Every structure is written in C-alpha cells, then in structure tokens.
DNA sequence: GGCTAATCGAGACGGTACGTCGCGTCTTGCC
DNA sequence: GGCAAGACGCGACGTACCGTCTCGATTAGCC
C-alpha cells in the first residue's frame, strides 16, 4: 500500500508493480464483486465487526485467495471501501466564511458521517494507534482533501478579516470538526441532528465569552 | 447490568440480584485476578483486539467459565476494566472559569485519554452503535460525572457573566471536549501535546471572529 | 465398595464404617431420589452415555456432592442401579434338566437382558477391562448367583445322567449363556425373539453332529 | 457413510460423493496420521474412553477440523480404525468340518479378539443400540465376511453329513461364536485361554447329552 | 439446651473437551 | 498466472461436565 495521491482508490496492484503483466490479468469483475459484497452485507445489517473475510468472499462468489491477493486484511479492505464511498469535497464559496463553514460541516454531517461511513470509521479507529500507516492512508486519501479545503476557507477568512489571524489554522479546524466527530463516534444510534453545523460554527466564531 | 450510580464498578453480580445468596459465593480473588490479567496483558503490549477471553483466563489462572460467569463478553469486561481505572473527577474551582476549564481539559488529557484508557475507549467505540446499552453504561459510570462537572463550571461562568448565557450548555461542553476526543481517537501514536488544553479553552472562549 | 454378599445393594456407607455415627446422618431419601432419578432419565430415553452426574443430581433435586458422597463415579452408581433392578434368581426344578435350562434362559431373556438392563450392561462393558474390580463387583452381586444356579442345574443333570459328566461345567454354562449375551450386546435394537431359549438349549444338548 | 461392500475402509469421503472433485483434495497423509495417532495412543495405554478428538488431533499434528471433516464423531472414527486393523478372513478348508471350525475360532481368538480389537469393540457396544447404522456398518464391513465364511463351513458340513441338516445355520453359528464373544467383552483382563476354540467346537458338535 | 459434627441444596472453582468458525496459507484443475 | 473451491494447521469461541470446594442451613447424638 504505497499510494499517497488523493483518489488512489482500489485494490492492491499485482506484484511486480509496473513490470509487464504476465499470465492472466486480475479480474476487474472480482474487484467490484468484493467491494460490493461488503456494501451489500453492511446494508443487510451485518455489522462491521461481524464481517469476516470468509463471509465477504462467499457473498462475492469469489475465492478467499482472490481477496487476499488484493488486500492484506480486513482493515485495509474496509479502508478501500471507504474510499469507494468517498467523493472529493466540493468547493464551497458562499457569501461569507460563516456560510462556507456551515456548508462544509453540513456536508460532513450528511455524507461523511452518515450511517455507513461512520460505522466503517468507528471500526477502524481501534487500529489507528497500533497501525500508524493505516491512519496515514486514511488521512491521505480521505481526510487530507477536506482538511485542506477547510484550512483554505479559514485562511480566506483570515485574509478577509472575518477570522482572527493570530490563531493556529490547524487547531481552529479541529474546533469545528472535533465536536461532530466525537459525537458520531461515541453516541449510540443517534443521527447527528439538523442544525448542528450552524450551531457549532456560530458558537466557535462568536466565542463563549460575552462581547461587550 | 443495572447499576446507574457513579462508581458502580465491578463484575456482573450473580443472577437474582439482591436475593439471598445461595451456593458458594463468587470469589473476589477471581474478580481481581481477571481484571489484573487484562491490565497486565495490555501493559505487555498485547493490543486490545488481540485480547481473547481464553488468553485472559489463562493469564489470570482461572477457568474460562469463571470469566463468563461474570461478564458476558469481552466488550463488557473491558468496560469494567475502564471503570476500574477510572477515578472520580476532582472538583475544580480556580480563580476564573477559564482556569477551571483549562484544569478540566488538562486532567482529561493526562488521565482519561492516557495510553491505556484511550486504547480501551477506541476498542469499544465500534460497539457503541450496535450495542446502545454498552454506551449507556459507559456514559453513566464514566462520562456522566465529568460531564456534569463541566456543565456546572460552565453554568457558574454564565452566572458570573464570564460566559454568554444564551448558549446551550451541552453543545458548549462538546466544543471544549470534542477536539480532544477526536484527536485521541483518530491520530495514530501521537500523545496529546502539552498546552493543548489552554489553546482550546482560549480559542473557544474568545471566538474565532475578531473582537473589535 | 467392599460388600461381596449377594444383595449388598445400596450406596457406599458413610466413611468410618461401624464407628459410632456422629453428625447428621445420611438422608435415605437422597439415596432413593438419586437411583430413581437415573431410572426416570433412562425411561425418558436419555441414553446411558448421555447421563451425567450433573444431570442426575439435577433431576434428583440433590447437590452434586451428595451423589459423590455415596458413589465415586458414574460406573459404580450404574452398577448399583443394576443391583436395584436385580432380583435373586428363582429356583428352577422342572421335570427334566432340559426344562430347567429352558426356564433359566427364558428368564434371562425376559428380565436380565430386557431393555433397561442390557443398556446398563452394555454401558459398563467398556470399563470392565480397565477396572477389574468393577467387573468383580458386577460378577459377585449380579452374576454369581445365577451362574451357580446354572451350574447346579448342570451338575444335577450330570448326576442324573442327562448330561455328559466329562464336560467342564463352567464352559458348558457359557455355551448356553454366551449366544444370548452376545446377541443382546451386539445386535442393534433387536429384542431377543421368543423361542430363542428353547432352540439354544436343544441344540447344545443334542449337539450339532448327527446321532446315528 | 454409504459403503456397504466389504473392505470399504477409510474416512468419510468429501460431500458430493462422485461429483467431480473441486477445491484442494483431502490430504491422504492426514487420513493416515489420524488413524495412526489413535493406534499410537491406544498402544500407549490411553484407554478407549479417555481418547478425545482433541487429543487425537494433537497427537496426529492435525487441526481438529481436519478430523471432523472426515468423521462425525469418535464412534465412527473408531469404527474405521477397526476396519483398518481388520483383515479379510482367510479360507479354511481342513480335513474335516471340525478342523475348519477350530481354525476359524482360533483365528478369532488370536486376531479379532486380541487386546486392541476387543477394547475397541467393547467401547462401541454401548452405541450399537442407540445408533443402529453404526452396528450395521460394523456388521457389513467387519462381521459379515467372517459370518458368511462360518456359515459356508457349516453348510459344507451339512452337505457332507458331518453336521445335522435340520439346524438353523445362523443360530448354530452363534453357538460357536457367542461364548467367545461374551467372554471377551465381559471378563476383566483375561486373555482368552489357549485351547478354548477346540473345547467349544467339540462340545457344540458332540452335544451335552450323552450319546449312548 | 447448648455443642459438635456430618449432611443437605446450591453453586462457584480450575480444568478439559466439545463442535464450530474464522484466520491466512496452500493446493487442486480449469481458464 | 489468475480463478473458484476448498483443505490445511491453528486458535478462539461459548457451553457442558468433571470432581472438588465452600457457603448457610439443617439435623442428628452427646454432654
């Protein structure tokens, strides 16, 4: 697993890298069948931790070896499934930084942290600590783009004077995103409520201390 | 699993609840041996998901049945181990609300999200969605007390005029805690850096928008 | 387990033998409850090898220790159950040795090798080799009396000239009994057919070689 | 378990019977390793009822699943071990029927009822009643051939006039075999004594009643 | 009437084996 | 060489019994 560019989605390429392909080429159909099997199982309510490589292969109508040939383990397979679901973040350029931030968080609420995605995320969280490269992969291919978009919004705000220029952009970004993430991961079945994005943005912008 | 009071730490009581105990009573030594076996294994670097009920029983010098008699599964056992590690939140009453908040977060950084605790937490996150009662137990016995302490600090601040009275206390609490939690759960090996508490508090208090 | 006299039926006496009884005496009700539990379970079709000390105690409404206090294991308990079912062999004294032998075998067919008894016997057969004292117990309390009755019949026949006097009584006894036993133990569900006793007796008496 | 022909020795074939084999074929080495493990354990004095599938797999250096894939349980495995030990009965054609019978029984004494075989047999006896197919398998693959050999000997004797023609061949066969079987199964450690075959044969042939 | 002591039902104890499932690898024949 | 199938050694799962032990509560005989 080497890809670091955004959008590097898909199963492990065949051994040998760019060496001329020999023998029968990998079946693209199998690639698809596997990822779709995962999604189908999850949709059927199978629960991320009840997923087994064995069950996935069975559901996909594929040999186990065919799965292992592409992904070294469940974690990485799930990571790729997340990438499949992922869509690159759309530009946001509203009338004000506040509007941009609200739109950004709102999109996070609806897409990124929707049921399927958050289940996958929660399932992988336990491995990030012990498998740093897994986190790095996740960061590089799913998080980075959004993060940079957020940072650019914030920097634009600073430039325009809508946001204090003395703040650490990275920390500030986490102030907006953290509350949503922690809710999505910890809280039981709760969907993130409508209006949450707005309330967070306003609160962080205005501050908790009264302005005289 | 019925306890809702803070500090209700310990293994599942024998069926029948308060009914007069019959038969040989559960061995308190076994209770301890099991929990300590888990801690010992984790200290030895065994990784939360590499823990097995089988291995725990072996390490504790205890029959598997003795573990299952007390806890229905690994999740719940780990929850109780967390409770064991937990210590009730100390009062904070500094000179200002800001000081209180910083101290609160700083303590969270050092204790609650220290290595062992955060590993346990991350391991359980994936089950909270599908096992709501597990979350509720965790919330009731670990989170609630700190949460209420935080809320009381915030309310005191509102009363004193140090914090805007028009804000939702719950949301505001999450603005402080969320960034720390999300870092602790997502980021790879990173310890939470010193000074993080202060920076978060100041930023949320002052707001991201410039004060003229 | 010391008793060698016929009819020594019942559970192991309390340790200490004839020493003056001290403490609470063994409950005769428990003795009965246990043996009856075994019979009840077998009648319910539980299959001798599916019997467990645990299940027997449960069925008898008795603590496991109460069973083990009386019998050292399942084998010996079953042996005692067999003794319970056993009834001392009735005298046979018909008009001829042939009649006596037929009656003897017929009684064996109907009682001794009836369903319950043969199931118990088959269950114990596998232990006789490795636990010689178990065989000896069984022999002394169940077999010996019948065996001696049979031998006395045969000897009477020899005295009367109805049976060759040059034969080994013991071997001859086995010629009569063996075919029935081996059928009862080996053959699947088959009840021993009516008339079997007569046919065996006549055949062994007359011999397989034609008499000119 | 379908084989009914004599000599159908070996583990359960893969499901699907004669359907074209798919996937990795069963390892013949594992087949052997398992059966040999059983024999080795028994030779080591492990006692048929102390055998466990777990221990067998361990001794064979094989996964438990590999055993269960071939045999549904200990009984059936032991049955196949018996088949392994079995050797087809050799023709007997001595100068007289008496010689043939003596040779037949003598061979039974030495081979079939030798230590290992009779331990296995005794262990299975308890299951024959409740698992009729087990008996049928045993009968079809181990007993039948010898039985038919014995019957042919007897019929030859009848044809030659050495044996009464008015007797039931089957019953007569049991008169010869039963005494030996019952001794082998019931009697404690006793080896079957030399000369037993001759004594049984002569006695059954001549009859117990004096010939004038 | 109190004391001593063995027994009672109940059920926990450390173990071992059960039969199943999933792991990640290996081995077929076919494509 | 990829592919579906499926066996391989391994090890954990959660359950059932094993035979022993520890509870509080009986239930006797003896002082």
């Amino acid at each position: 697993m080497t890809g670091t560019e955004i959008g590097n989605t898909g199963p492990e390429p065949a051994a040998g890298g760019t060496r001329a392909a020999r023998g029968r080429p990998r079946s693209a159909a199998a690639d698809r069948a596997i990822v779709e099997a995962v999604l189908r199982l999850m949709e059927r309510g199978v629960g991320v931790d009840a997923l087994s490589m064995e069950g996935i292969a069975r559901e996909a109508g594929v040999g186990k070896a065919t799965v292992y040939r592409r992904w070294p383990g469940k974690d990485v397979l799930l990571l790729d499934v997340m990438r499949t679901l992922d869509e690159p973040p759309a530009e946001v350029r509203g009338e004000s930084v506040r509007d941009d931030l609200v739109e950004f968080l709102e999109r996070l609420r609806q897409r990124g942290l929707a049921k399927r995605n958050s289940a996958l995320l929660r399932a992988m969280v336990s491995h990030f600590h012990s498998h740093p490269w897994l986190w790095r992969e996740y960061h590089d291919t799913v998080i980075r783009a959004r993060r940079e978009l957020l940072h650019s919004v914030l920097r634009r705000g600073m430039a325009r004077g809508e946001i204090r220029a003395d703040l650490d952009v990275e920390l500030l970004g986490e102030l907006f995103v953290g509350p949503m993430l922690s809710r999505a991961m910890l809280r039981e079945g709760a969907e993130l409520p409508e209006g949450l994005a707005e309330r967070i943005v306003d609160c962080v912008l205005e501050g908790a201390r009264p302005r005289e």
Side-chain angles (χ1 to χ4, degrees), chain A:
Chain A
M1 194 51 71
T2 53
T4 52
E5 325 85 302
I6 299 165
N8 172 17
T9 281
E12 191 69 6
T18 36
R19 188 161 52 73
R22 297 242 277 152
R24 176 174 173 176
R26 294 258 173 97
S27 155
D31 290 12
R32 260 174 286 122
I34 293 166
V35 172
E36 273 161 24
V38 174
L39 295 174
R40 219 174 313 134
L41 286 169
M42 292 190 59
E43 227 122 67
R44 213 176 291 157
V46 173
V48 175
D49 52 312
L51 283 178
S52 65
M53 294 298 263
E54 199 115 13
I56 291 167
R58 208 182 303 129
E59 172 73 24
V62 135
K64 270 201 293 180
T66 301
V67 184
Y68 280 108
R69 214 172 281 124
R70 290 163 164 75
W71 291 280
K74 202 171 69 171
D75 306 336
V76 190
L77 169 53
L78 291 188
L79 180 60
D80 264 2
V81 171
M82 290 193 71
R83 290 205 269 235
T84 297
L85 295 175
D86 190 51
E87 35 189 276
E91 276 298 306
V92 287
R93 189 164 294 260
E95 299 198 353
S96 64
V97 166
R98 179 193 173 274
D99 289 354
D100 289 354
L101 289 169
V102 169
E103 192 179 340
F104 179 88
L105 281 196
E106 181 60 16
R107 212 169 294 166
L108 184 62
R109 184 177 78 88
Q110 284 177 10
R111 314 254 164 102
L113 299 182
K115 206 171 164 208
R116 247 178 358 193
N117 288 284
S118 72
L120 284 168
L121 177 53
R122 281 196 308 273
M124 274 190 307
V125 153
S126 50
H127 305 314
F128 283 156
H129 229 246
S130 37
H131 304 296
W133 63 268
L134 190 60
W135 154 256
R136 219 159 302 134
E137 273 295 304
Y138 176 65
H139 176 267
D140 287 349
T141 59
V142 178
I143 302 228
R144 186 200 294 283
R146 307 180 198 295
R147 178 192 200 75
E148 279 171 2
L149 176 59
L150 175 58
H151 287 179
S152 79
V153 166
L154 292 174
R155 267 191 292 264
R156 197 165 64 235
M158 288 176 178
R160 285 211 230 149
E162 296 179 59
I163 289 191
R164 285 162 56 194
D166 62 325
L167 294 177
D168 179 10
V169 171
E170 194 157 337
L171 177 70
L172 189 52
E174 284 178 340
L175 290 191
F176 286 107
V177 171
M180 231 166 194
L181 276 179
S182 67
R183 265 213 197 189
M185 281 192 289
L186 288 178
R187 296 269 175 112
E188 33 166 342
E191 299 287 316
L192 300 179
E194 254 184 283
L196 182 61
E198 247 179 317
R199 293 203 292 148
I200 290 176
V201 168
D202 284 338
C203 197
V204 174
L205 282 181
E206 293 307 314
R209 205 160 56 71
R211 309 198 168 219
E212 57 284 354

